[in-house]
Amino acid sequence: MKRSRFITMMTVLAATIFIFTGISRAANEVKLTYSIFFPPTHVQAKAGEAWAKEIEKRTNGQVKITVFPGGTLTPADQCYDGIVKGISDIGMSAFAYTRGRFPLMEALDLPLGYPNGFVATRVANDFLKAMKPKVLEDVKVLYLHAHGPGLLHTKKPVKTLEDLKGMKIRSTGFSAKVVEALGAVPVAMPQGATYESLQKGVVEGTFSPIEVLKGWKQAEVIKFTTDCRGVGYTTAFFVAMNLKKWNALPKDIQKIFEDVSREWTDVHGKAWDTSDADGRAFTLGLGNQVIELSPNEAARWKKAVRPTINGYIKETEAKGLPAKKAVKTAEDLITKHSKKKK
């Protein structure tokens, strides 16, 4: 009898502990939203989703992140403000989509000759640590990533600067000035609008990494790619969190976020390079052509865009910002990381 009563009491106690543990766990659960402008099938959206799942795994389910890809929560150009205002708790987009707002970060987007996305991503994160721009202090920047060299993709062949003259080319951020320096007409628009604009003839080409030809299916509406990597620019993308939400996280959870984010920079960098290779194969598979510039022509393009770099320095220094240091830092980091093996 006593044994039966003891077993009953232990069963009730275990059930009570289980219930209260469940309630406590539910009370401590952190639910976050994550806005990503890349379409759900894009490799960078998938990398972002994998990051969110890794956070959930390492916090033993205490943090749950709901991902909204394709700009369904906030459009690309409103993502940063969406984070600040709490429309989304976390967001991924490009600094270039709000041109002029992040002047020091624009140094990363200059045509400095980035060799690939892996290098560009490591450069971007080290640049952020070195320059510490105050304009980003209204969010918690978790990490950055950056694509491989921006190349020219057009509906008609471009082998010389003369071929490019007067063409309407989609570009964003500082790459618009690069397009202008090369003699073309820049037209600003996010990637999501580019396919239809190329299809309808609103623009005659786009300046982007070659991955867009598959990732955004743009190989279907262009015929040629001009490999002008000597003036290869990148676009830096941020993954940032609402500052109040960040500050509300326990220190041990913050450490997990930082640890995973540090690891995920290389995940994104390698993904950019894989998707560049896929984009090249995809466009060639459709019968499109990749045009290699001659050494003399490549030198002409490099000379043509140099004033944009000098102009950026002059314009940004006039705002009281260390632009010369920013450009030198980016150039030195490209050299440093280009020498390293993956």
Side-chain angles (χ1 to χ4, degrees), residues 30-288:
V30 179
K31 294 183 178 181
L32 302 171
T33 57
Y34 186 2
S35 177
I36 299 177
F37 85 97
F38 289 104
T41 55
H42 195 284
V43 65
Q44 296 302 331
K46 291 179 179 178
E49 289 177 353
W51 172 87
K53 288 178 181 176
E54 188 66 16
I55 295 288
E56 184 173 334
K57 176 184 174 183
R58 294 198 197 179
T59 60
N60 296 315
Q62 188 175 343
V63 175
K64 294 189 181 298
I65 302 172
T66 302
V67 178
F68 294 86
T72 53
L73 188 56
T74 52
D77 59 350
Q78 296 173 32
C79 184
Y80 190 88
D81 278 337
I83 300 166
V84 175
K85 295 175 182 177
I87 297 171
S88 68
D89 300 313
I90 307 167
M92 179 197 295
S93 192
F95 291 113
Y97 287 153
T98 46
R99 185 177 168 188
R101 182 167 181 172
F102 309 100
L104 273 185
M105 299 308 295
E106 287 181 10
L108 288 171
D109 295 358
L110 294 170
L112 301 176
Y114 290 91
N116 54 58
F118 186 85
V119 167
T121 293
R122 287 200 164 184
V123 168
N125 283 279
D126 283 359
F127 179 91
L128 179 67
K129 292 175 189 174
M131 299 306 298
K132 298 181 176 64
K134 290 185 178 180
V135 70
L136 293 174
E137 290 179 353
D138 54 358
V139 298
K140 167 63 179 179
V141 179
L142 295 166
Y143 65 97
L144 307 181
H145 59 95
H147 64 60
L151 306 178
L152 178 66
H153 316 287
T154 54
K155 302 181 81 169
K156 66 179 185 179
V158 174
K159 299 179 181 180
T160 67
L161 289 176
E162 288 72 26
D163 294 335
L164 186 56
K165 188 174 178 62
M167 288 179 65
K168 291 180 291 182
I169 305 295
R170 174 264 176 200
S171 51
T172 60
F174 199 87
S175 67
K177 290 189 176 183
V178 175
V179 166
E180 197 170 17
L182 293 172
V185 179
V187 180
M189 68 179 67
Q191 286 290 7
T194 304
Y195 184 102
E196 187 176 359
S197 294
L198 284 164
Q199 189 178 45
K200 292 183 176 180
V202 175
V203 292
E204 301 162 87
T206 178
F207 235 123
S208 296
I210 200 168
E211 68 86 17
V212 303
L213 299 186
K214 182 178 182 182
W216 296 83
K217 305 299 182 185
Q218 292 171 18
E220 297 173 353
V221 286
I222 61 100
K223 292 294 181 184
F224 303 91
T225 291
T226 302
D227 192 336
C228 50
R229 66 184 58 241
V231 296
Y233 73 94
T234 191
T235 299
F237 299 86
F238 59 82
V239 176
M241 186 171 180
N242 177 272
L243 202 54
K244 288 183 179 179
K245 285 293 179 74
W246 171 257
N247 289 333
L249 292 177
K251 294 296 181 185
D252 60 325
I253 299 297
Q254 287 183 348
K255 185 177 185 304
I256 290 171
F257 268 82
E258 290 179 333
D259 289 347
V260 176
S261 295
R262 191 160 42 248
E263 293 171 24
W264 244 248
T265 58
D266 283 355
V267 170
H268 283 275
K270 290 175 181 177
W272 278 120
D273 289 345
T274 297
S275 55
D276 270 357
D278 290 344
R280 187 181 184 94
F282 183 71
T283 195
L284 291 174
L286 291 179
N288 296 334

